Amino acid sequence: EPGVSAFFCGEAPDAGGFDPKWRCLGPEGQPKGKGAHIGNGQMNGVRFDPRYHEGEPGSSGYGRIYAFSPTGGLWRTENEGRQWDVVGAVDTQLPAINVADVAVCRQDPETLFLATGDGDHSYRLVFEPYRGVVVNTMFSSGVYRSRDDGANWERIAMPGSFTCAEPLGMQLVRIESHPRNPEILFALSTHHGLWRTTNALAPASEVVWEQILAEERPFESGSGWRGLVLMPGRPDVLYAAGRQIYRSADGGTTWAPLPGMDPDSLFEMKYDDGFCLRARRECPGVYDSLCQDGGKISREFSPMVINLAVTPDDPSRLYAYVLAEEV
């Protein structure tokens, strides 16, 4: 689409004199433990209630923010971060409190949708001092819905739609509610692409999911789908990121790779990681054969993770954060 562009680290717009002041909103202190068993845990992200700064302070939803964790469930603040509480019965009614993402229905902010699992990995090897290298599995148990502001939850993933049958599991990483149609809900799985339901408010047993975007080449551990955003003001324009960035202009029915994001050309970069500098000093012959192009050597990369972001201040601008490995 004309005017839509992706920026990488060296090409991001100049922030000028912008100097953000960060402060910790809690929880404060560190739990006691040994070795790696300390800390407050990983946070997958935060979401703002649609009424976050609408109306007047003290009105319903004003100052409300959600925070979610792969091992700590779903938390909420009603006063812009000064106090956090576990949301309703999420810690007692869900079979797993691993929360990858949360979506709030704009038409009815007391309707919440949860994508369960770890929004960063489907599985990973971790080192624990007392057990050595172990597999840390945080499979998704599907999508859950609350119609009463988090007091009660029900699973709305149809049997077989989200399962752990495959070695990498059906790991969910993103969930988005359509801002104009509360029946439309999107769920992104690390290794199984983008899914959509058009009856998200139907009785739980009647909610139907369909896969609307996937890539043929299978992902590996550490790679996969990560990015999913809706264009502000034009929610039928969606972007999703696997190994490439894809765009849909019809609410997810059809998709096409974003122009200019061809991995075969995009990830052929030239840079100097210090090799050429050392070669020029220590091995002039190697420098002459490898580093003629301005003191840089050519490297090829394959994308593993692409995260996306948009801003309502400039809806036509798409930001992409790319993690790639050398091939």
Side-chain angles (χ1 to χ4, degrees):
E1 175 178 349
V4 175
S5 54
F7 292 85
F8 291 87
C9 296
E11 303 174 14
D14 184 10
F18 182 61
D19 184 21
K21 304 296 183 182
W22 291 91
R23 61 187 179 91
C24 181
L25 296 179
E28 296 181 354
Q30 294 285 334
K32 295 181 180 180
K34 297 181 180 180
H37 297 272
I38 59 174
N40 290 321
Q42 171 183 314
M43 300 302 296
N44 269 333
V46 296
R47 286 276 193 170
F48 292 88
D49 189 283
R51 304 161 294 177
Y52 173 66
H53 268 183
E54 292 182 356
E56 299 294 331
S59 61
S60 179
Y62 189 95
R64 174 181 281 194
I65 309 171
Y66 292 90
F68 39 94
S69 164
T71 54
L74 181 66
W75 294 72
R76 180 166 60 197
T77 175
E78 305 283 0
N79 52 19
E80 305 197 54
R82 291 189 293 275
Q83 178 181 341
W84 293 87
D85 299 294
V86 174
V87 174
V90 71
D91 57 342
T92 58
Q93 293 185 6
L94 270 65
I97 59 172
N98 306 325
V99 180
D101 200 3
V102 59
V104 184
C105 178
R106 173 166 284 278
Q107 289 78 12
D108 179 13
E110 291 194 355
T111 297
L112 311 174
F113 300 97
L114 284 187
T116 59
D118 182 354
D120 193 23
H121 298 274
S122 61
Y123 78 89
R124 54 187 166 184
L125 298 178
V126 296
F127 177 78
E128 296 188 359
Y130 308 108
R131 294 196 294 165
V133 176
V134 297
V135 177
N136 181 15
T137 57
M138 292 184 184
F139 290 120
S140 170
S141 59
V143 177
Y144 285 77
R145 177 183 69 194
S146 173
R147 300 298 301 273
D148 53 12
D149 211 26
N152 293 282
W153 296 88
E154 56 186 346
R155 185 175 184 266
I156 63 168
M158 294 294 288
S161 293
F162 301 98
T163 68
C164 304
E166 299 187 19
L168 294 179
M170 189 70 176
Q171 188 62 52
L172 300 181
V173 291
R174 295 284 185 272
I175 190 166
E176 291 283 353
S177 177
H178 195 286
R180 296 177 184 171
N181 187 344
E183 294 282 4
I184 299 178
L185 186 67
F186 301 93
L188 186 67
S189 167
T190 305
H191 295 88
H192 296 268
L194 184 60
W195 295 67
R196 177 182 63 188
T197 177
T198 57
N199 65 338
L201 302 183
S205 62
E206 299 177 10
V207 176
V208 178
W209 292 88
E210 60 174 335
Q211 187 183 44
I212 59 174
L213 181 62
E215 287 186 315
E216 293 182 0
R217 201 174 91 189
F219 289 102
E220 299 175 353
S221 173
S223 66
W225 295 91
R226 288 297 190 278
L228 175 64
V229 293
L230 281 63
M231 178 183 284
R234 295 181 59 190
D236 285 337
V237 177
L238 292 82
Y239 301 94
R243 286 192 176 89
Q244 300 186 63
I245 298 178
Y246 298 86
R247 175 184 178 273
S248 172
D250 54 13
T253 301
T254 60
W255 295 83
L258 192 67
M261 292 298 295
D262 180 10
D264 292 336
S265 60
L266 179 66
F267 296 101
E268 292 180 359
M269 304 178 183
K270 294 185 177 182
Y271 74 103
D272 184 359
D273 61 357
F275 171 83
C276 288
L277 183 63
R278 293 192 302 272
R280 185 175 187 179
R281 182 177 62 249
E282 301 172 6
C283 306
V286 174
Y287 177 84
D288 291 338
S289 61
L290 295 179
C291 303
Q292 291 297 316
D293 186 13
K296 300 181 180 181
I297 54 178
S298 178
R299 302 286 178 87
E300 294 185 4
F301 296 87
S302 175
M304 297 176 61
V305 172
I306 303 177
N307 274 312
L308 303 175
V310 293
T311 170
D313 287 340
D314 189 354
S316 65
R317 177 164 288 171
L318 175 68
Y319 292 90
Y321 170 83
V322 182
L323 174 64
E325 64 177 355
E326 187 175 353
V327 295

